[in-house]
Amino acid sequence: QVQLQESGPGLVKPSQTLSLTCTVSGGSISSGGYYWSWIRQHPGKGLEWIGYIYYSGSTYYNPSLKSRVTISVDTSKNQFSLKLSSVTAADTAVYYCARDRVVGQQLVPASFDYWGQGTLVTVSS
Amino acid sequence: QSVLTQPPSVSAAPGQKVTISCSGSSSNIGNNYVSWYQQLPGTAPKLLIYDNNKRPSGIPDRFSGSKSGTSATLGITGLQTGDEADYYCGTWDSSLSARVFGTGTKVTVL
């Protein structure tokens, strides 16, 4: 059974960089066939995709966040990470990591089949 | 600014059926797989339907999915109090090169 677990500070000051790590167990990031994603949910709001990374290091980011987002992978630790720079109160949200199954030769993402429990990050001084 | 539109809420009595629509365009639903997620209060989303109409192991057949053109539908039959949750559709948008989610629908069991 694949499990994902987010970790990182729950409080970040405005203008600083939010950093989170997702540790994957029960499956290898290096096995391919999946994108490893970050998704967030503002309080009382819907889901917002932040971006994802393939085990090879290829990344895709939400165009609206692209200038501030970096996602990286450490296959030796079976982890992937999120960095979001220059945060403001608008970045306060629950952040989820998730596994996104890929289909076809063009590697189109199709479904988030495993999710972490989520971690609340508050941006406040 | 979700590109996929869902009704804000639907409701029905226990045992009844509800359907939730998800409306998009040719760049997303029209040419990519749709998945559906259930989010119980205070928990992470859970995959309910993938590849438009397939159910993961452990998901009861009370849940069904379909797609036609640029719209998708989630159906829940035999509604139970435990089905009270928020439901989201999701897909890939080829024009945006981004994963997109629906606006979300709250299901209430009367």
Side-chain angles (χ1 to χ4, degrees):
Chain A
Q1 177 81 343
V2 175
Q3 293 184 314
L4 294 85
Q5 178 67 57
E6 305 90 350
S7 60
L11 182 63
V12 181
K13 288 181 167 48
S15 80
Q16 294 191 342
T17 296
L18 178 160
S19 296
L20 295 174
T21 294
C22 183
T23 301
V24 180
S25 58
S28 173
I29 285 180
S30 301
S31 62
Y34 303 97
Y35 289 121
W36 301 92
S37 291
W38 288 98
I39 296 154
R40 70 180 182 179
Q41 187 170 34
H42 294 102
K45 301 297 183 182
L47 302 170
E48 180 182 30
W49 175 73
I50 298 171
Y52 60 56
I53 191 165
Y54 200 52
Y55 77 97
S56 61
S58 300
T59 53
Y60 266 102
Y61 299 138
N62 185 323
S64 67
L65 298 169
K66 187 174 183 177
S67 63
R68 299 194 293 131
V69 173
T70 301
I71 297 176
S72 58
V73 64
D74 186 339
T75 54
S76 67
K77 294 182 179 179
N78 223 30
Q79 296 175 333
F80 62 106
S81 299
L82 167 71
K83 290 189 186 299
L84 182 65
S85 63
S86 306
V87 297
T88 69
D91 294 308
T92 293
V94 174
Y95 286 75
Y96 296 99
C97 57
R99 188 178 83 167
D100 200 352
R101 183 179 61 92
V102 160
V103 295
Q105 292 186 339
Q106 293 187 327
L107 304 183
V108 178
S111 55
F112 297 102
D113 55 0
Y114 289 98
W115 296 67
Q117 65 185 24
T119 186
L120 174 63
V121 178
T122 302
V123 179
S124 174
S125 55
Chain B
Q1 66 267 21
S2 297
V3 300
L4 304 180
T5 303
Q6 299 179 229
S9 64
V10 297
S11 60
Q16 297 300 302
K17 174 182 179 179
V18 295
T19 59
I20 300 170
S21 60
C22 176
S23 178
S25 68
S26 59
S27 67
N28 42 66
I29 291 177
N31 284 285
N32 294 291
Y33 282 125
V34 176
S35 50
W36 289 91
Y37 305 88
Q38 177 193 60
Q39 187 175 33
L40 297 169
T43 69
K46 172 185 174 182
L47 180 64
L48 271 187
I49 297 290
Y50 69 97
D51 294 358
N52 304 329
N53 55 18
K54 297 182 174 67
R55 284 177 287 105
S57 173
I59 300 300
D61 59 7
R62 299 188 299 107
F63 296 91
S64 63
S66 64
K67 187 180 95 167
S68 178
T70 60
S71 293
T73 301
L74 173 71
I76 311 174
T77 60
L79 204 58
Q80 302 176 0
T81 55
D83 297 331
E84 287 202 328
D86 293 321
Y87 293 81
Y88 295 91
C89 56
T91 189
W92 174 254
D93 191 297
S94 306
S95 294
L96 298 175
S97 291
R99 285 297 243 133
V100 291
F101 290 102
T103 47
T105 299
K106 182 174 184 59
V107 170
T108 300
V109 181
L110 301 172

